[in-house]
Every structure is written in C-alpha cells, then in structure tokens.
Amino acid sequence: MIIAFSVTPVGAGESVGAAVAEAVRVIRASGLPNETNALFTTIEGEWDEVMAVIKQAVDAVMEVAPRCSIVLKGDVRPGSTNAITSKVESVERHLREPR
C-alpha cells in the first residue's frame, strides 16, 4: 500500500516546521520507501507497518503539540511493490511520448 499523509501540529505556535521535521525523522528512520514534499509525505509498505509508522509520526508531533491534525490518502493494492516510484515513472514516460 501507499499512503500520502500529513501531520499538522495544532496549538504549538505559528511555526510548525520543527514538529513536522520530527515526524519526518521517524518516517525516514522506519526504512520504508518514502518521499516528502511541501504538502505530504508518501510511504509504502504493508498495511500494519505503514500504519505503525504513521502512529509513531503522530506521537512525535504530540510530544511538542497539544493536538495533531492528520490527513490520509491511500492506495491499497496487494502484491504491488515499488509503486511509490513506478507510478511517477509511468506518467513521465507518457509525457515524453509525442501526442
């Protein structure tokens, strides 16, 4: 499965970068394939391991904020691997093809 998600500290002040960085640190330490952009972090793995990492990321935010908002979007496709890159590669391949 692939999950794109964001965690947003609430009530910890105006700047959330440090708290979000702690969540991303947890995600990167998990060893699961992941990518972070301006809005979401995408993580790939089996259901239980991905959800465990998301919980750990939320817990990291909750250490510095009294509240945390979470947004999740997932693609569950049993047996699929390396989808975190292959989906983008497919789009890029189609963009290179003449119309």
Side-chain angles (χ1 to χ4, degrees):
M1 80 178 311
I2 299 174
I3 295 282
F5 74 103
S6 67
V7 291
T8 305
V10 179
E14 192 171 317
S15 177
V16 298
V20 171
E22 290 307 313
V24 172
R25 191 180 316 276
V26 166
I27 296 157
R28 291 183 179 172
S30 75
L32 294 177
N34 66 84
E35 295 179 351
T36 299
N37 61 44
L39 294 176
F40 289 96
T41 293
T42 304
I43 186 169
E44 182 175 14
E46 296 299 319
W47 180 277
D48 290 340
E49 61 188 358
V50 168
M51 291 303 177
V53 172
I54 292 171
K55 182 185 182 315
Q56 292 168 3
V58 170
D59 290 345
V61 169
M62 294 299 294
E63 288 182 16
V64 296
R67 187 174 171 190
C68 181
S69 173
I70 309 163
V71 175
L72 299 165
K73 179 177 182 177
D75 180 3
V76 180
R77 189 173 182 185
S80 176
T81 58
N82 200 31
I84 200 168
T85 56
S86 64
K87 287 177 172 259
V88 175
E89 289 168 354
S90 174
V91 171
E92 291 295 336
R93 186 175 56 254
H94 287 288
L95 286 170
R96 288 189 299 270
E97 294 174 356
R99 293 174 103 184

